[in-house]
Amino acid sequence: MSEVAAKAADEVEAKPEASTILDAIKGAEPTPEEEGKTEAAVMPSDEKADGKSVEAAVKEADQKAVAETVDPELVKWVTDHVIFKTELKEHQLSQLRQFLISKECRKLVLYQNDDGELCASVNVIPPLESSKKLQYFLKVSSAEVLTTDNINSQTLHGVISGDETMDSLMKMMQGMYVPTFLGNKSWPDSVRKEFAGQLHRFMASLVDATNQKKGKTILYLPEEDLSNPLEAARDKDLVQRLEATLLHWTKQIKEVVSGSDNMQQLEGKGPLEEIQQWSRRDKDLSGIKNQLEQPRLKEILDVLQFAKSSYLTRFKNLAARIHKGSDEAKSNLKFLSVLKAPCEKVAMSTPEKIPSILPKILNLIRMIATLSPNYSSAEKIANLLLKVSHLIIVQCKKNINLNNLFGANVPQCIEALKENSKCCSEWRKIYDEKVAAVERAKDKIRWKKFDDGTIFAQIEAFKKRCNDLREVCEGQLQFA
């Protein structure tokens, strides 16, 4: 072995924390005359015959030396905690050992790429879009050398899902960091109280943002000692933290209530989308209503009541509106759900068969107008009839084949357009008959007062377009 190679080996042996043998060899700085000898010392004869590069040989020797340096029990500890079922290969184990032995490497990331191949890295964190699941191992401190005795206490590990990043962060904060931070009594009181306030604000926003993506409104409940409400009410710092949480709740509930009072009309949508909207509304409002009944939330309200918080009255007013809105959503969903089956039947029918289903739908809408306590206004019933028009148009559009329209089968396209026009005319005729029946029965909501132009404006426009297209098709047959 040359002097350079021997010197490199000595440096690695003297510095077990060095990340690679390559670093040690680079540090030797061989002279040009010695480089050839170094290659001969490092590179086995059979590899020279295969034409392997010096770098490849050094890298292989480096990995072998690191593998001999790392305690196998440490490697086993990590592999036992890996969630992926794929067996780790040598290049992945190499990254794992580097994480265990090098003080500079404080993280190890394992993930599956788009091809399903397991990847390991101590330097690069891949974008979450490129991996469904990502597992991480983190060192608590770079000053501590990992051993079998301290690896449990000196490392953190967990899993983050690519499509549930916020969920993973929230669970990690709630399960690990929040209890750890709030339970730390070594900080000065002023620092601890200020940090607790900021932590609760962050967690309230995190919980809100995480659940908004799922269409839910979740009220964050801070972890505070409220076993004695009277004593807690005398703690000004605690009261301020609880008031900050209460203000966040008020903002959340106000947004939900405002959305209920000003529910946007679903433009271009049918009755089925209206049912889905009220179903989501019912779940959201019922969820908030149940949360308002939680003992933990009531404890917070009791403390603020004893502290005579000025923010409490506004919150209670909004909470009362949540109860009312929840009852309204349940009622509307109950009545609108009767339209689901016939509307689904329309959604699967051709224009020729749709008219036979429409009388039943109109009878059900009449029942809703007569019996529903919250969905019986003239405006809501007229809007529901408009949605039936939208549903009919959607089905008639499916009956038009553009290939046939532009020459593939023009006669068939003409017949389809005739069916569409006839379906639209039948819908208007059936509606007029129902209006007459409602007038004779003197229902509380007189359909005759509805603006027919609004209900049938799009139907008439669609019918006209179908007639125009039919003329185009007839022109093609005439002048082809």
Side-chain angles (χ1 to χ4, degrees), residues 119-254:
C119 302
S121 175
V122 293
N123 296 316
V124 180
I125 297 180
L128 288 173
E129 304 86 53
S130 67
S131 56
K132 294 181 179 179
K133 281 189 177 181
L134 179 151
Q135 185 175 17
Y136 62 87
F137 291 85
L138 303 174
K139 292 179 183 176
V140 175
S141 171
S142 59
E144 292 287 336
V145 176
L146 294 181
T147 65
T148 53
D149 295 328
N150 69 7
I151 191 168
N152 274 304
S153 60
Q154 291 298 318
T155 57
L156 301 172
H157 60 91
V159 178
I160 297 177
S161 297
D163 54 349
E164 298 175 354
T165 311
M166 299 288 281
D167 271 311
S168 299
L169 176 59
M170 184 179 70
K171 291 174 182 176
M172 189 189 307
M173 291 296 298
Q174 290 176 332
M176 182 183 302
Y177 293 112
V178 172
T180 301
F181 290 144
L182 296 181
N184 191 334
K185 305 298 183 182
S186 62
W187 295 349
D189 284 346
S190 58
V191 174
R192 187 158 50 86
K193 290 176 181 178
E194 174 67 20
F195 184 83
Q198 297 295 337
L199 179 62
H200 288 320
R201 288 189 185 92
F202 171 75
M203 288 302 300
S205 299
L206 177 61
V207 170
D208 188 18
T210 301
N211 289 282
Q212 271 188 354
K213 293 172 60 178
K214 306 174 185 176
K216 299 179 182 178
T217 302
I218 301 296
L219 307 179
Y220 169 68
L221 299 177
E223 291 293 331
E224 299 282 6
D225 183 8
L226 306 178
S227 55
N228 189 333
L230 283 172
E231 184 179 341
R234 298 189 188 99
D235 187 337
K236 293 183 179 180
D237 294 312
L238 175 58
V239 170
Q240 285 182 352
R241 293 198 296 271
L242 296 181
E243 283 182 332
T245 301
L246 184 72
L247 287 173
H248 191 85
W249 293 348
T250 302
K251 178 185 175 183
Q252 288 177 277
I253 294 177
K254 185 179 179 181

Side-chain angles (χ1 to χ4, degrees), residues 54-86:
V54 177
E55 290 80 2
V58 172
K59 185 176 180 180
E60 185 176 332
D62 174 36
Q63 292 176 349
K64 183 178 180 181
V66 171
E68 293 174 353
T69 306
V70 179
D71 187 344
E73 289 299 317
L74 289 176
V75 176
K76 184 177 183 301
W77 185 93
V78 176
T79 55
D80 286 346
H81 287 82
V82 172
I83 63 167
F84 301 103
K85 303 302 181 184
T86 307

Side-chain angles (χ1 to χ4, degrees), residues 16 34 87 99 108 110 202 218 340 360 377 406 410 464 466 471 478:
E34 293 175 319
E87 185 178 353
F99 165 74
L108 171 67
L110 299 169
F202 171 75
I218 301 296
K340 186 175 182 180
K360 181 177 181 180
S377 68
F406 293 109
V410 175
K464 184 178 184 305
C466 286
E471 291 180 6
Q478 183 176 357

Side-chain angles (χ1 to χ4, degrees), residues 266 268-275 384 386-388 390-391 394:
L266 296 173
K269 301 296 182 181
L272 293 174
E273 287 76 17
E274 179 80 355
I275 295 170
L384 195 54
L386 175 60
K387 292 183 185 301
V388 176
H390 289 317
L391 177 60
V394 168

Side-chain angles (χ1 to χ4, degrees), residues 269-285:
K269 301 296 182 181
L272 293 174
E273 287 76 17
E274 179 80 355
I275 295 170
Q276 290 174 358
Q277 187 181 38
W278 280 107
S279 177
R280 289 191 295 266
R281 194 83 191 153
D282 175 43
K283 290 179 181 178
D284 195 19
L285 292 172

Side-chain angles (χ1 to χ4, degrees), residues 397-406 408-409 412-413 416:
K397 285 167 64 177
K398 294 178 181 178
N399 197 40
I400 301 174
N401 188 310
L402 293 178
N403 291 328
N404 292 340
L405 177 65
F406 293 109
N409 194 335
Q412 184 176 343
C413 187

